[in-house]
Amino acid sequence: MRCSTVRSGRALSALVMTVLAGGLAACGSGGSSSASAAPPSASAGSHPAPASSGAPSPTGGSGGQGPLAGKVIVVDPGHNGGNAKHPEVINKPVDVYNGKKPCNTTGTSTNDDYSEHAFTWDVATRLTKILRAKGAEVVLTRHSDTGVGPCVDERARIGNRAHADAVLSIHGDGAPAKGHGFHIIEPAHIKGGHNDAILAPSRRLGKDLRDAFHEGTGIPYSTYLGKDGIDVRGDLGGLNVSTRPAVFIEAGNMRNPGDAATMKSAKGRQKMAEALANGFVKYLG
């Protein structure tokens, strides 16, 4: 999820949106990006989407019978389709406990301009449908792929307020083209002990999602970052601010032709969603 930022200034309201593609959206780990053009599957909005309360009810499934009944899962699709047109919102610094980060970023894209925000939104909506069918209550951090934000700290707080049993932020990386594969990002210890309670469960969540994603998609572990498909970072606002078990996934390198082909494929995105759902069942079952 290598991210491009746009400069300027006013803050996004610290409120929730429940439909799109952006992760607890701090920048990821690859190379620089150029996501100026929207892909055919999504258009950038010209105005910020209206903010909402952040409560789980607008987006949560009712929860029902199934292996995830009674569980609350927050799905955070990285970035948002309108971010690029609103630098005054997404460049506003926010506090992530050990420093400041931009409110959000535009994300990366494939070399033929299939955007990260469209990719994450599509995987997130597919995953949400599967999780709800398994009985989970699912809360999305944005409403659509045409809005702006929310800020990375607010995305984390959506999960905190929902008392989520697990939080996943979905991204695609923008590393140099020779690198390929996926990796899970787990939270690092933050000085002061803010996130101590979630470190161990986040490690379990990360391992279960990694194993399920690898098995269900056949995508290899990242060749350019992390070890055995796992990386640990203390610079991502979505992980730093979270008080619930939380991880990111960089589902592939959008600059690598092989990874990009899978990520642009509806069949590939469906396999990703199914695999991630299986990981949640293993973790929460």
Side-chain angles (χ1 to χ4, degrees):
M1 139 191 84
R2 256 319 184 212
C3 311
S4 304
T5 61
V6 191
R7 294 198 171 119
S8 246
R10 67 176 172 77
L12 175 66
S13 169
L15 300 167
V16 63
M17 301 178 220
T18 53
V19 174
L20 167 69
L24 307 167
C27 275
S29 46
S32 60
S33 68
S34 57
S36 58
S41 58
S43 58
S46 59
H47 300 287
S52 62
S53 67
S57 55
T59 49
S62 58
Q65 301 302 310
L68 296 175
K71 304 299 184 181
V72 178
I73 298 173
V74 169
V75 177
D76 175 42
H79 312 288
N80 210 327
N83 281 4
K85 292 189 176 182
H86 289 279
E88 78 282 1
V89 172
I90 68 167
N91 284 323
K92 179 71 176 180
V94 297
D95 183 16
V96 297
Y97 286 98
N98 61 358
K100 299 282 187 179
K101 298 286 285 188
C103 163
N104 211 289
T105 59
T106 61
T108 190
S109 69
T110 64
N111 291 332
D112 57 355
D113 292 324
Y114 177 56
S115 67
E116 181 183 1
H117 64 77
F119 165 75
T120 65
W121 177 244
D122 186 89
V123 174
T125 53
R126 292 172 186 269
L127 175 59
T128 295
K129 182 177 180 180
I130 298 168
L131 293 175
R132 287 177 177 163
K134 294 181 182 295
E137 178 180 353
V138 182
V139 180
L140 285 158
T141 59
R142 56 190 176 103
H143 301 298
S144 69
D145 198 30
T146 57
V148 181
C151 294
V152 295
D153 59 331
E154 174 59 14
R155 290 176 186 243
R157 291 189 177 99
I158 290 168
N160 296 348
R161 290 193 296 266
H163 301 287
D165 294 291
V167 179
L168 174 65
S169 186
I170 301 170
H171 289 270
D173 213 349
K178 65 180 180 180
H180 65 92
F182 83 95
H183 62 280
I184 299 287
I185 305 174
E186 299 173 357
H189 168 76
I190 301 300
K191 187 176 180 179
H194 164 76
N195 66 346
D196 283 358
I198 71 163
L199 294 180
S202 295
R203 283 194 295 271
R204 293 195 301 272
L205 173 62
K207 182 179 183 301
D208 287 342
L209 289 174
R210 180 203 64 181
D211 292 349
F213 194 83
H214 183 59
E215 179 180 354
T217 66
I219 298 172
Y221 300 151
S222 171
T223 62
Y224 60 93
L225 193 62
K227 181 179 180 181
D228 296 330
I230 298 289
D231 193 22
V232 179
R233 292 177 58 174
D235 64 327
L236 297 179
L239 297 181
N240 289 9
V241 178
S242 183
T243 58
R244 313 303 298 176
V247 297
F248 279 42
I249 184 169
E250 298 283 4
N253 177 14
M254 300 191 81
R255 296 298 187 176
N256 175 271
D259 286 4
T262 300
M263 297 168 90
K264 290 188 293 181
S265 160
K267 182 178 180 180
R269 296 192 300 271
Q270 182 65 22
K271 282 187 175 182
M272 291 178 185
E274 291 171 355
L276 291 169
N278 289 338
F280 280 116
V281 170
K282 182 176 180 182
Y283 174 71
L284 295 170

